[in-house]
Amino acid sequence: MGSSNLELIFDSVGHFGRYQIFLYFICAFQNISCGIHYLASVFLSVSPQHTCRPPGNVSQVLFQDLSTWQLEDIWTQFSVGREDHILVKLQDGEIWELTSCQRFRRDDQSSLDYEYSGQKSSFPCLDGYIYDRSKWLSTVVTQWDLVCNREWFGRLIQPTFMFGVLLGAVIFGYLSDRAGRRVVLWATSTGVFLFGIAAAFTFDYYSFIVARFLLAISGSGYLVVAFVYVTEFVGMKSRTWASIHLHSFFAFGTMVVALTGYFVRTWWIYQIVLSSVTGPFILCCWMLPETPFWLISGGKYEEAQKVIDTMAKWNRTRSCKLSELLSLDHDGSAGNKPSQVEKHTLSELFYDWSIGTRTLILWLIWFTGCLGFYTFSLNSVHLGGSEYLNLFLMGVVEIPAYVFVCLGMDRVGRRNILIFSLLSSAVTNGVIMVIPKDYHFWLVVATMAGKFFIGAAFGLIYLYTAELYPTIVRSLAVGSGSTVGRVGSIVAPLCIYLSSIWIFMPQLLVGTLALVSGVLTFFLPETLRRPLTTTWEETEKESSSGKLLSTTSNTVLENITVENSEDSSLNK
């Protein structure tokens, strides 16, 4: 029941006809929702300027040379700094100095002078905080006071979400092979909707984190299975473009986050609006059929024949008979039990010194790609200017990056495109570090360039990894690489916080890793027009020979899909 025989189905019913286009855009639309939730925390966890709340009613406020009767009028002048404080006089006559995380009561209350050298007593912010609500009416930070000694709770929102992404890919990748692609698509998309709405109505920080964690598991599971689902319905001639451009819909999700953040400034309403994007898919997902590949692998030939007949009817082409194509009767006389796939261990990716080095280099590239991808996106809101426009542009620039990959990889080679993208990303990170902070426009342009190149590298590494390994461990290689990549996505939000040590620390880290990865990629072989290998012996022979044969990238996707979907994910 070889994959080459199965591919003949598409020669008959069409590689990317109306039926496949219909299914493709239904699944791709839900990718937008996943892209939304992956970056929703950019505005959910905004930490606005704040100061300790005074222990009583305020009668007068003084900040440097500005005097007023309301604390809310101070925010246009106030900046978070060690020496900055707000001076307030309470109705009972007490004078307090308010800072971001502490408050001081002056012992001498005879004069309201901003500068004071007398005795004062320190008190914690037991009465809560007053926040600058000029941009956001509320965020999860202001909702549960995730500032000062509770600031690290806010910083864990995105890393815990990404850890859920890691678990979801493993859990639902496994379940999709057992229960089927369609069931998992239903379950995960429903989970994305329900847990997304639930996060908006959580009653405390911990329930919010749990809801977001379950949302991440569902969203990640959907992305994994949706990629397999699409590649199993699209013929070889269109498979590369179709699979890579699933990323583009994820990028649309980034743009939706930026637009929603601009118009909706209350976090729970913002969360509901973003979660509602899943609604249309929930209404349409019942129309999704099971893939013929999965049905055939489970011996369900009659059901697979019905799907193929429907595909042919929509595409207005001639159907084909599985009994003739696979030399099987409809009643399964040749056996309904699918062939057993031999399991391989991670140690086989270190078959010898050369292969082990190859694996480590690829893992570094996966890690760098994910780390850079999310670092550029998350850090865009700190570039100055409009944070909403900055994030929107980070989504826009991804789309031409994937077009660049599709056009370039079959002309100049996978390795050359990957090297160019990684080294260019390293250079742009260096450029960002020398641009003065006040030059917002050029900072955004350089960051967009960095996101373009790192996005191109990330879009290509999946296919390149698959082509570098023989059939017996191809899915294992891709699965392990994507897992390492998700570790990079967990580290990315923590990397952003390093800017408190030095403002350009994130760029230094990503740029250094991109430079090292780009240089090490020179030691990897080119795979353009080289045949796919089945065994380690063939891999060694091809690596040492300069022989070029005509094998397209679509064949790789075909092989991965048929072999094992559990590890073959294209997850962000």
Side-chain angles (χ1 to χ4, degrees):
M1 201 182 299
S3 61
S4 58
N5 287 337
L6 293 178
E7 193 62 36
L8 294 176
I9 295 174
F10 298 108
D11 291 337
S12 176
V13 302
H15 286 258
F16 199 51
R18 289 190 298 176
Y19 191 68
Q20 290 103 317
I21 292 174
F22 174 72
L23 297 180
Y24 180 83
F25 280 102
I26 288 180
C27 294
F29 181 84
Q30 179 64 358
N31 269 31
I32 298 176
S33 182
C34 293
I36 284 171
H37 292 297
Y38 274 47
L39 287 172
S41 67
V42 169
F43 298 125
L44 273 176
S45 57
V46 169
S47 183
Q49 293 184 124
H50 61 276
T51 186
C52 280
R53 185 180 296 277
N57 294 325
V58 176
S59 62
Q60 189 175 357
V61 181
L62 180 67
F63 177 69
Q64 295 179 355
D65 58 352
L66 176 65
S67 179
T68 183
W69 284 268
Q70 292 184 340
L71 276 169
E72 289 74 12
D73 298 332
I74 293 294
W75 296 119
T76 56
Q77 302 294 325
F78 183 72
S79 61
V80 180
R82 294 183 179 180
E83 304 300 326
D84 283 338
H85 65 270
I86 298 174
L87 190 64
V88 297
K89 185 175 183 178
L90 306 185
Q91 291 180 353
D92 60 6
E94 289 186 345
I95 299 176
W96 288 77
E97 294 180 8
L98 308 178
T99 64
S100 297
C101 298
Q102 276 189 309
R103 54 188 180 175
F104 303 89
R105 186 182 63 195
R106 290 183 178 180
D107 294 346
D108 182 4
Q109 301 177 5
S110 59
S111 64
L112 190 64
D113 295 327
Y114 190 77
E115 299 298 334
Y116 175 76
S117 58
Q119 296 293 321
K120 52 188 176 182
S121 303
S122 175
F123 296 88
C125 301
L126 298 179
D127 296 293
Y129 303 85
I130 298 175
Y131 296 95
D132 177 10
R133 302 185 187 276
S134 60
K135 281 192 175 182
W136 278 81
L137 297 178
S138 70
T139 69
V140 295
V141 171
T142 64
Q143 181 79 22
W144 296 300
D145 289 335
L146 306 181
V147 294
C148 298
N149 61 332
R150 288 172 55 84
E151 183 180 12
W152 68 276
F153 283 99
R155 293 186 173 186
L156 286 177
I157 291 175
Q158 187 68 5
T160 54
F161 182 90
M162 286 303 180
F163 183 66
V165 169
L166 175 61
L167 291 182
V170 175
I171 294 171
F172 287 106
Y174 174 85
L175 290 178
S176 70
D177 281 338
R178 275 68 185 171
R181 284 61 160 128
R182 181 176 60 173
V183 172
V184 173
L185 289 179
W186 289 354
T188 53
S189 57
T190 302
V192 168
F193 180 75
L194 294 179
F195 294 128
I197 296 295
F201 294 99
T202 48
F203 52 87
D204 62 10
Y205 168 81
Y206 299 102
S207 58
F208 173 78
I209 287 294
V210 170
R212 287 263 301 169
F213 183 75
L214 295 175
L215 170 61
I217 291 176
S218 301
S220 174
Y222 177 86
L223 285 178
V224 170
V225 181
F227 171 75
V228 176
Y229 186 87
V230 166
T231 55
E232 289 184 347
F233 262 110
V234 177
M236 188 175 66
K237 294 179 180 179
S238 305
R239 195 166 289 152
T240 297
W241 274 79
S243 59
I244 289 181
H245 278 286
L246 282 176
H247 284 297
S248 298
F249 292 88
F250 191 95
F252 284 123
T254 303
M255 300 179 216
V256 172
V257 169
L259 291 173
T260 306
Y262 180 79
F263 289 106
V264 183
R265 305 297 178 91
T266 301
W267 78 267
W268 62 271
I269 300 177
Y270 165 86
Q271 177 67 26
I272 291 175
V273 171
L274 293 181
S275 300
S276 66
V277 176
T278 302
F281 181 82
I282 296 293
L283 297 176
C284 296
C285 66
W286 61 272
M287 294 185 288
L288 298 177
E290 186 54 79
T291 70
F293 278 56
W294 186 84
L295 292 171
I296 292 171
S297 69
K300 301 178 180 180
Y301 304 111
E302 291 185 4
E303 295 180 39
Q305 185 65 60
K306 291 179 181 179
V307 175
I308 293 171
D309 292 342
T310 302
M311 196 185 312
K313 183 177 179 181
W314 273 59
N315 294 346
R316 297 179 181 177
T317 56
R318 179 179 57 84
S319 184
C320 61
K321 297 294 184 181
L322 287 178
S323 57
E324 299 174 0
L325 185 64
L326 304 177
S327 300
L328 295 171
D329 295 327
H330 279 288
D331 60 1
S333 59
N336 287 335
K337 186 176 180 180
S339 58
Q340 297 295 320
V341 178
E342 183 182 353
K343 297 295 182 180
H344 297 273
T345 63
L346 196 63
S347 61
E348 293 190 52
L349 298 182
F350 298 87
Y351 174 76
D352 57 24
W353 175 262
S354 175
I355 298 299
T357 302
R358 176 183 302 183
T359 298
L360 292 176
I361 293 174
L362 288 170
W363 283 358
L364 177 62
I365 298 172
W366 275 96
F367 181 86
T368 302
C370 273
L371 177 66
F373 184 91
Y374 284 102
T375 298
F376 279 116
S377 295
L378 296 173
N379 197 50
S380 64
V381 297
H382 304 299
L383 297 176
S386 171
E387 56 265 51
Y388 310 104
L389 178 60
N390 294 348
L391 183 63
F392 184 86
L393 293 175
M394 291 305 108
V396 170
V397 77
E398 286 184 51
I399 298 175
Y402 304 135
V403 175
F404 166 73
V405 169
C406 289
L407 293 176
M409 66 181 182
D410 288 331
R411 289 170 171 79
V412 299
R414 285 84 157 114
R415 187 185 67 169
N416 293 335
I417 291 293
L418 189 58
I419 291 172
F420 174 77
S421 299
L422 290 170
L423 294 183
S424 297
S425 178
V427 171
T428 53
N429 275 284
V431 171
I432 292 171
M433 293 169 64
V434 300
I435 296 177
K437 189 177 180 181
D438 294 335
Y439 286 63
H440 303 313
F441 174 80
W442 294 111
L443 278 173
V444 172
V445 170
T447 303
M448 287 180 65
K451 180 67 180 294
F452 175 93
F453 292 119
I454 206 69
F458 185 76
L460 178 58
I461 187 59
Y462 172 83
L463 174 66
Y464 187 50
T465 300
E467 292 180 336
L468 284 173
Y469 289 88
T471 302
I472 57 174
V473 293
R474 186 169 293 127
S475 292
L476 180 63
V478 175
S480 66
S482 60
T483 300
V484 173
R486 294 186 193 105
V487 174
S489 66
I490 295 174
V491 174
L494 302 176
C495 177
I496 298 299
Y497 299 132
L498 293 177
S499 58
S500 60
I501 300 175
W502 183 45
I503 189 172
F504 293 120
M505 186 63 76
Q507 287 81 10
L508 178 63
L509 179 59
V510 174
T512 301
L513 288 174
L515 176 62
V516 173
S517 300
V519 172
L520 291 177
T521 305
F522 279 102
F523 296 96
L524 298 177
E526 178 56 74
T527 60
L528 177 61
R529 291 188 291 273
R530 288 185 181 270
L532 294 177
T533 59
T534 304
T535 64
W536 285 118
E537 290 73 16
E538 293 177 7
T539 301
E540 292 175 348
K541 183 178 179 181
E542 284 300 323
S543 296
S544 60
S545 69
K547 185 179 179 182
L548 297 178
L549 299 177
S550 57
T551 301
T552 67
S553 57
N554 295 301
T555 310
V556 179
L557 294 176
E558 171 196 345
N559 277 269
I560 296 175
T561 302
V562 175
E563 291 162 19
N564 183 7
S565 67
E566 180 177 342
D567 293 319
S568 50
S569 63
L570 196 60
N571 199 10
K572 290 285 185 182

